[in-house]
């Protein structure tokens, strides 16, 4: 029995159970030997009555479809089978046949079901899909960490009464109503009146200071002239974490809360401060206090520390990316405004773009800069000199704040990426019409653009050109081939394909052989479906069933993206804390058995979609 205990302690999900429970399991286990070729379970046969744990040897999973038997998987030491039949109480969906002489531990059904009831982590391990496992894992983390962020609802923060006025109310009367109610904001009821829907307007105490008093506006002016409409609205039952993200993304200090489409209250910045004054998501508001280069550098270091805080709090990688993007955007805007103050007003409208992971809201730790600048076509002669100086100031200040220059020189300081709007439009048309290797490389960077600062509307200028790529089958085919250049590092026997670097062995690159593969696939599917979003998860979700990507595959890719990204981010943050340069190469032996198992499943989900894309576009036939 001691040997069984030692074995179970080394393999998930048993390794997560208390020792006394494992000893009890070991006492109930039966041991059975299966010779090569023996069918242990039969597709459509009797339901399983045990959970089978492979102690030694391996088994094949076979499935018959339309009279053809296919080998769907191979499992080896430490892996389990039979649990789908056990959970559903139905015949096995696959035949399990011993690939070689195999020894199994058999856990009785009654004990298996009791363990699922008593231990959520055990039940999570046997969820039917990677999507379910990830969701349960995140829910479990949220249940035990940062209750202020992940258990408190926005509606619980409401402290002031809801003040509502019609649009013809005078500014003076509206201000009196706010004072009497001790409210920091009010809602302006717009047609259809009495609905207070998401199209309603909002006026805050800050609006009264900046738009009325500071501008000397007549107090008899209708309040509708100084309102913001529509108000930024979120569901009242949203988590505090979600509200914080919405607030910093839109740069507002008030959120209107809705229930069943109707605004029921308002929460403000101070409500969040009362709840958790040290929350890292409140950092963009603190940037206003930064006046020196040392202050800005300290701010970027705090943003990096934010990643660790959010990891500990149980945040999703996608949410961490959004929070960090908001913090970095605030820093960038601060730097650009300082540059404008030094150089004078810009000679014409322009837009400052961020690209790559920052453009997708997916940057989590500081990486190289990727940016560009677009200015109006009717720019005066002095525009080029002005924007050259602006780009140099901004990029250099970002370097001083800890963001190195791009090794590939994809920055606004490069004249190629600092051009009038018409030149950029020609770039995009050319890349799509002549999709050679360089063009495909450029699209992978610039199709993920996002404007952070400036008055030039680049969405209206460039997004329609990008979306027309869906009609160019040659371009999509070559983009598909480029997306499959890196294949999921997992072989037919569900084993990770590892790399070596110098003296290091057993490595896997969680960016280039992980998240980057999903990013490339998502970009392809988004173009197929005409989805304008740049964020990977948004692309996958919106492209599902509107492209060659099905809904189930989309959810599995989203789960895989979160899971691989989480492993990568944890690894990098550990390196930073040890004073090392963060990298993407992870030593697989240092992952826990459960992490290795989930990584394999995530990569298998990627591999399945990659094979489907290869078949759809026949990429092996593309020169």
């Amino acid at each position: 029995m001691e040997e069984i205990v030692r074995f179970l302690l080394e393999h998930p999900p048993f390794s997560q159970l208390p020792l006394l429970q494992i000893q009890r399991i070991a006492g109930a286990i039966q041991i059975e030997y299966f010779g090569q070729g023996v069918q242990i379970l039969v597709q459509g046969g009797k339901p399983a009555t045990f959970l089978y744990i492979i102690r030694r040897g391996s088994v094949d999973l076979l499935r018959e479809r339309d009279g053809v038997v296919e080998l769907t998987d191979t499992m080896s030491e430490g892996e389990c089978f039979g649990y789908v039949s056990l959970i559903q109480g139905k015949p096995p969906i696959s035949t399990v046949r011993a690939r070689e002489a195999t020894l199994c531990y058999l856990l009785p059904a009654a004990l298996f079901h009791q363990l699922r009831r008593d231990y959520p982590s055990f039940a999570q391990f046997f969820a039917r899909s990677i999507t379910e496992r990830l969701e349960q894992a995140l829910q479990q983390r949220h249940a035990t960490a940062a209750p202020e962020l992940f258990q408190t609802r926005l509606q619980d923060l409401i402290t002031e009464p809801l003040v509502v006025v019609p649009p013809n109310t005078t500014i003076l009367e509206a201000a009196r109503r706010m004072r009497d109610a001790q409210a920091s904001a009010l809602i302006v009821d717009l047609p259809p009146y009495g609905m207070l829907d998401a199209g309603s307007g909002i006026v805050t105490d800050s609006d009264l200071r900046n738009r009325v008093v500071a501008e000397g506006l007549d107090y008899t002016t209708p309040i509708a002239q100084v309102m913001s409409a529509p108000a930024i609205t979120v569901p009242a039952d949203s988590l505090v974490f979600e509200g914080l993200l919405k607030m910093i993304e839109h740069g507002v200090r008030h959120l209107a809360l809705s229930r069943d489409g109707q605004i029921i209250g308002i929460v403000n910045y101070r409500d969040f401060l009362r709840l958790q004054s040290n929350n890292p998501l409140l950092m963009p508001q603190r940037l206003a206090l930064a006046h020196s280069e040392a202050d800005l550098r300290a701010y970027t270091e705090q943003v990096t520390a934010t990643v660790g805080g959010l990891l500990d709090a149980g945040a999703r990688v996608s949410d961490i990316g959004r929070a960090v993007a908001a913090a970095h955007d605030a820093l960038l805007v601060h730097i650009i405004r300082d540059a404008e103050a030094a150089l004078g007003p810009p000679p014409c409208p322009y837009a400052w773009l961020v690209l790559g992971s920052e453009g997708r809201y997916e940057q989590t730790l500081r990486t190289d800069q990727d940016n560009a600048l677009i200015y109006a076509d009717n720019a005066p002669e002095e525009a080029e000199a002005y924007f050259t100086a602006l780009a140099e100031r901004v990029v250099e200040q970002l370097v001083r704040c800890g963001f190195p220059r791009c090794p590939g020189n994809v920055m606004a300081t490069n004249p190629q990426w600092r051009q009038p709007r018409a030149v950029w439009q020609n770039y995009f048309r050319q890349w799509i019409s002549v999709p050679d290797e360089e063009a495909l490389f450029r699209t992978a960077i610039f199709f993920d653009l996002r404007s952070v600062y400036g008055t030039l509307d680049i969405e209206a200028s460039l997004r329609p050109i990008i979306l027309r790529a869906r009609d160019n089958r040659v371009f999509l085919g070559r983009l598909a081939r480029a997306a499959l250049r890196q294949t999921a590092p997992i072989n037919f026997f569900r084993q990770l394909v590892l790399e070596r670097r110098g003296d290091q062995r057993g490595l896997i690159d969680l960016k280039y052989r992980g998240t980057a593969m999903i990013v490339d696939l998502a970009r392809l599917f988004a173009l197929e479906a005409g989805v304008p979003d740049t964020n990977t998860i948004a692309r996958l979700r919106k492209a599902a069933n509107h492209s060659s990507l099905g809904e189930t595959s989309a959810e599995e890719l989203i789960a895989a993206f979160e899971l691989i990204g989480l492993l990568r981010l944890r690894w990098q943050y550990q390196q930073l804390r040890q004073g090392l340069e963060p990298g993407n190469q992870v030593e697989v032996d240092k992952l826990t058995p459960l992490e290795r198992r989930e990584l394999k499943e995530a990569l298998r989900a990627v591999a399945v979609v990659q094979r489907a894309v290869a078949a759809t576009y026949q990429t092996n036939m593309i020169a």
Side-chain angles (χ1 to χ4, degrees), residues 129-131 544-545 549-559 605 609:
S129 70
I130 182 176
T131 307
N545 294 334
L549 178 70
E551 186 174 354
T552 299
S553 294
E555 290 303 320
E556 289 182 350
L557 282 182
I558 290 170
V609 177

Side-chain angles (χ1 to χ4, degrees), residues 348-351 373-380 383-384 387 418-422 424 456:
C348 65
Y350 76 100
L373 190 149
I374 303 178
Y375 56 89
D377 293 327
N378 58 351
E384 173 57 22
F387 291 123
R418 187 184 64 249
Q419 293 289 335
R421 174 167 45 192
W424 279 95
L456 188 67

Side-chain angles (χ1 to χ4, degrees), residues 26-70:
I29 271 179
Q30 299 179 30
I31 302 175
E32 192 162 342
Y33 168 86
F34 302 97
Q36 182 180 6
V38 171
Q39 291 187 341
I40 305 171
L41 296 175
V42 179
Q43 180 180 350
K46 294 181 179 180
T49 55
F50 295 95
L51 174 70
Y52 294 80
I53 308 157
I54 302 174
R55 175 62 182 86
R56 188 166 51 248
S58 59
V59 299
D60 288 333
L61 273 59
L62 308 164
R63 188 172 299 180
E64 182 179 346
R65 294 187 181 92
D66 301 324
V68 178
V69 177
E70 299 176 349

Side-chain angles (χ1 to χ4, degrees), residues 97-116:
R97 185 176 65 196
R99 184 179 185 86
E100 58 186 316
T102 300
L103 187 69
C104 289
Y105 292 154
L106 278 59
L107 181 68
L111 183 52
F112 172 75
H113 291 307
Q114 181 186 334
L115 292 170
R116 290 178 61 236

